[in-house]
Amino acid sequence: SPETTVTVGSQTYARDEMTNVTPHILSKVGSNLHNRKYHPLNLLKQRIRDHFYKNYVKPRGNPIFTVVDDLPPVVTIEQCFDSLLTPKDHVSRKPSDTYYVNRHHVLRTHTSAHQSDLIRMGCDQFLVIGDVYRRDTIDKSHYPVFHQCEGVRLFTERELLISKFSEQDMEGLTVFEQGPRIPAKQAPHTQDAVVLLEADLKWTLTRLAHDIFGKDIETQWVDCYFPFTHPSWELEIKYKGEWLEVLGCGVMEQEILNEAGAGNKVGWAFGLGLERWAMKMYDIPDIRLFWSQDSGFLSQFRVDDANTPIKYKPVSVHPQCYNDISFWIPDNYTENDFYDLVRGLGSDMVEQVELIDNFTHPKKGRTSHCYRITYRHMDRAVHQEEANKIHALITEAAINNLAVEVR
Ligand code: PHE
């Protein structure tokens, strides 16, 4: 029964104290926008796939990268976090940030969840494209379901060295050593290994960015941290005068490869968000548009050749209306609980939720939050009376389900 189980696609799971998936989120599972013909995410998927198919081939011309785009989004804690060396107290594991189906299963928070399995299956070069899920704020660039493309490339010592050196010059070079772990490298890697992997990774991704965003795009690399890569970087592109992060990547942690049975290889990995890329590429102003059923949106992407240049033209922009809600929060409250509640009731009529006031009473020690909810649907007008009705439902549900005290 629905009280004791959760059904996701064709699978049924036992509910437990960790379960926090909402009906709104579950209704999105299986949409597979990235596999829908003429959808902008599908066009972008084709562009990325074709880029790798065309530019990375074996001697007789067949592609080296395998593309996997149909893995279901429910994964185990082991796949999503443990296999990737994510620390037990890392924020990404918190139920305030992640959708738990139950204590053993989550909706994947990233496509990296499939790295280990695919390597164990013997894949040395692959792309994984799929829907990923994160509890998050509500605005024009965040939606709790989005899509990622993961890329992994492994090399044997010889494959890595031969890419830059002749047989004679390779003499004496190695990729493994037992050295210290320092900011520049992992303990089992040589500096030479990292230099070669870093160059190959950055070259591969810069080339991809230039293919997708155009030759003239400016790029820069920024050092960063991921539990599963070291060293790690983010790629930023200059878009409308500002630097924007478009992907994360790095040298794969050797322990992941060792555990997956590829201990004789080294590798790099990257992950990028398809919506982010598509919004820049096609000038799509709001992430909810990817879920639009409106022909005014979809018809603009009806092209048989994914390379056709497209710039999205807003069909009709409907007016916004907004309402504020203020309440005292209980002890166990997290903002994402409220955002999920709003998403569930407001559905795709809510454009943004902003925390506009966060106040702690000096004597009582209680905290009050005030949120401004902006209502606007992508495909039709929402009038103030309709917004007021939804706002009343949200207020009532916040009182009943989150135990807040409305001021
Ligand atoms: N999984 C990371 C994310 O979702 C991206 C990433 C993938 C980073 C692979 C490094 C290597 O943010």
Side-chain angles (χ1 to χ4, degrees):
S1 82
E3 266 106 71
T4 55
T5 61
V6 199
T7 301
V8 195
S10 58
Q11 288 293 109
T12 297
Y13 301 85
R15 249 176 213 283
D16 61 29
E17 74 291 345
M18 292 296 278
T19 305
N20 66 354
V21 287
T22 63
H24 178 250
I25 280 300
L26 293 175
S27 75
K28 307 286 176 183
V29 175
S31 302
N32 293 323
L33 299 181
H34 59 292
N35 292 336
R36 208 174 276 182
K37 198 172 183 194
Y38 300 133
H39 193 279
L41 297 179
N42 180 257
L43 297 178
L44 175 58
K45 181 188 88 171
Q46 289 185 52
R47 288 280 300 270
I48 296 172
R49 184 193 60 197
D50 294 350
H51 174 91
F52 279 93
Y53 278 177
K54 193 173 86 216
N55 292 299
Y56 304 90
V57 293
K58 294 177 199 175
R60 277 190 288 158
N62 38 343
I64 68 170
F65 280 86
T66 304
V67 176
V68 185
D69 62 9
D70 57 359
L71 296 172
V74 177
V75 298
T76 61
I77 305 297
E78 164 72 25
Q79 290 172 303
C80 202
F81 304 120
D82 298 335
S83 74
L84 292 160
L85 315 176
T86 306
K88 290 281 184 232
D89 59 356
H90 195 265
V91 282
S92 63
R93 291 192 189 240
K94 295 216 158 69
S96 60
D97 287 52
T98 295
Y99 288 105
Y100 279 80
V101 174
N102 60 27
R103 74 173 86 95
H104 303 297
H105 296 90
V106 293
L107 295 177
R108 65 185 163 217
T109 59
H110 53 184
T111 42
S112 305
H114 301 290
Q115 280 186 7
S116 284
D117 292 343
L118 290 166
I119 293 168
R120 199 170 292 111
M121 284 167 62
C123 291
D124 286 342
Q125 298 91 7
F126 56 85
L127 301 178
V128 184
I129 296 142
D131 40 330
V132 301
Y133 298 78
R134 291 186 198 171
R135 302 187 74 198
D136 218 328
T137 48
I138 302 183
D139 64 35
K140 282 172 174 285
S141 58
H142 290 91
Y143 199 77
V145 191
F146 60 103
H147 298 76
Q148 282 189 328
C149 173
E150 188 87 7
V152 166
R153 182 165 190 181
L154 305 187
F155 302 83
T156 60
E157 177 168 273
R158 196 184 154 72
E159 283 165 347
L160 188 64
L161 294 174
I162 205 89
S163 66
K164 286 278 181 301
F165 298 99
S166 67
E167 292 285 348
Q168 298 98 324
D169 295 343
M170 248 162 71
E171 203 80 32
L173 291 177
T174 55
V175 300
F176 295 114
E177 70 173 9
Q178 214 34 256
R181 184 179 176 98
I182 53 173
K185 67 166 208 77
Q186 299 169 39
H189 293 161
T190 60
Q191 290 279 8
D192 289 331
V194 182
V195 167
L196 293 174
L197 285 168
E198 176 176 352
D200 190 75
L201 172 59
K202 289 185 173 176
W203 158 245
T204 302
L205 293 172
T206 308
R207 198 177 179 197
L208 176 68
H210 281 142
D211 186 3
I212 304 289
F213 295 117
K215 292 265 169 301
D216 298 329
I217 197 86
E218 281 184 75
T219 58
Q220 73 180 14
W221 290 98
V222 179
D223 291 336
C224 72
Y225 163 82
F226 296 104
F228 30 91
T229 51
H230 183 75
S232 306
W233 302 277
E234 278 171 354
L235 175 63
E236 298 188 340
I237 62 164
K238 191 80 149 286
Y239 180 76
K240 296 191 173 158
E242 283 189 61
W243 287 109
L244 260 182
E245 181 250 302
V246 295
L247 63 81
C249 66
V251 175
M252 292 181 75
E253 283 288 350
Q254 198 58 36
E255 190 181 334
I256 298 175
L257 298 182
N258 296 348
E259 288 297 313
N264 62 329
K265 294 177 183 157
V266 292
W268 54 241
F270 71 84
L272 64 85
L274 292 184
E275 278 82 350
R276 225 192 228 191
W277 282 52
M279 285 172 85
K280 308 301 162 244
M281 193 175 153
Y282 299 124
D283 277 347
I284 297 172
D286 188 305
I287 195 165
R288 290 175 298 163
L289 280 165
F290 293 103
W291 296 87
S292 175
Q293 302 289 346
D294 191 296
S295 63
F297 176 78
L298 291 174
S299 66
Q300 298 191 30
F301 300 93
R302 273 192 93 80
V303 292
D304 288 309
D305 177 0
N307 293 307
T308 313
I310 299 172
K311 289 294 172 198
Y312 172 69
K313 289 170 216 66
V315 220
S316 63
V317 179
H318 300 284
Q320 304 175 316
C321 31
Y322 63 82
N323 279 326
D324 295 346
I325 176 171
S326 301
F327 47 70
W328 298 105
I329 62 169
D331 288 342
N332 59 355
Y333 174 88
T334 77
E335 276 173 51
N336 281 339
D337 292 337
F338 183 63
Y339 299 147
D340 266 327
L341 182 148
V342 172
R343 288 208 182 271
L345 292 167
S347 181
D348 291 341
M349 264 175 287
V350 175
E351 178 171 282
Q352 187 170 21
V353 180
E354 278 170 285
L355 178 58
I356 55 174
D357 189 42
N358 185 351
F359 158 80
T360 303
H361 192 283
K363 294 218 189 72
K364 299 189 181 132
R366 291 172 85 193
T367 298
S368 123
H369 281 183
C370 178
Y371 296 92
R372 172 156 298 171
I373 306 183
T374 304
Y375 296 89
R376 169 154 67 184
H377 198 279
M378 286 286 111
D379 301 342
R380 63 178 182 81
V382 176
H383 297 288
Q384 190 68 50
E385 307 85 82
E386 190 183 355
N388 292 349
K389 278 191 195 134
I390 303 162
H391 202 74
L393 289 176
I394 291 172
T395 307
E396 191 182 299
I399 297 170
N400 293 335
N401 306 349
L402 302 182
V404 305
E405 192 186 315
V406 171
R407 300 177 62 186

